[in-house]
Amino acid sequence: MKIARPHLLFALLAFALGLVGCVTTETGPAPLPSVVCTLRCADTTTLAYGTVLELRLVDFTRPDTRPLVLAERIDSNPGQLPLRYRLFYNASAINPAHDYGVEARILFEGRPLWVQPEPLPVITKDHPYEVEVMLQPAP
């Protein structure tokens, strides 16, 4: 068995280190921006099997029209509260002069049980990107 010469080992080590500097990573498309929502109920409650969570990011700039939905998440049997969700949206759809908010409700057999009465402002006009949504009993 032959022992490699030290200069050959150093050459191989230098070559390997040179390859490390050549490694590139594909970054791909930029990740979508998001709003993080933690949902809680005003009262302690246990969600029954069959409940459905509806969570939306809406443009509610014009109160005389129905809000425009920019992102939506519907989740059957979401688990127990508190619940934490991330709503991804297209940044190019955001107008800094508009008002955006999060709407949330929990339904059972199609009927609202818990609701967010008004959109909770997010994103523009110094509003946060992470909110706590306190759901109220449906009227």
Side-chain angles (χ1 to χ4, degrees):
M1 182 167 147
K2 286 188 172 182
I3 297 176
R5 296 183 189 151
H7 68 277
L8 181 59
L9 287 175
F10 288 123
L12 286 172
L13 180 61
F15 177 72
L17 290 174
L19 286 177
V20 169
C22 295
V23 173
T24 61
T25 57
E26 191 64 39
T27 57
L32 290 174
S34 63
V35 174
V36 177
C37 307
T38 301
L39 289 86
R40 301 181 189 282
C41 285
D43 299 325
T44 304
T45 189
T46 300
L47 299 180
Y49 182 80
T51 57
V52 175
L53 167 71
E54 292 181 350
L55 185 61
R56 293 182 180 95
L57 174 63
V58 298
D59 180 341
F60 66 100
T61 304
R62 296 185 52 199
D64 58 327
T65 63
R66 189 175 188 135
L68 173 67
V69 177
L70 281 83
E72 180 175 45
R73 180 161 184 168
I74 298 173
D75 198 1
S76 297
N77 301 310
Q80 297 304 318
L81 299 166
L83 297 166
R84 189 171 169 90
Y85 287 93
R86 185 176 296 270
L87 279 174
F88 294 97
Y89 62 91
N90 182 348
S92 65
I94 300 297
N95 180 335
H98 284 207
D99 297 306
Y100 299 94
V102 171
E103 292 182 336
R105 63 186 192 156
I106 295 175
L107 304 111
F108 183 71
E109 295 179 350
R111 292 187 313 265
L113 296 177
W114 297 91
V115 297
Q116 171 66 32
E118 298 290 327
L120 188 61
V122 293
I123 303 173
T124 57
K125 302 179 182 175
D126 293 327
H127 289 110
Y129 288 80
E130 186 166 337
V131 292
E132 185 165 310
V133 179
M134 187 63 68
L135 298 169
Q136 304 295 320

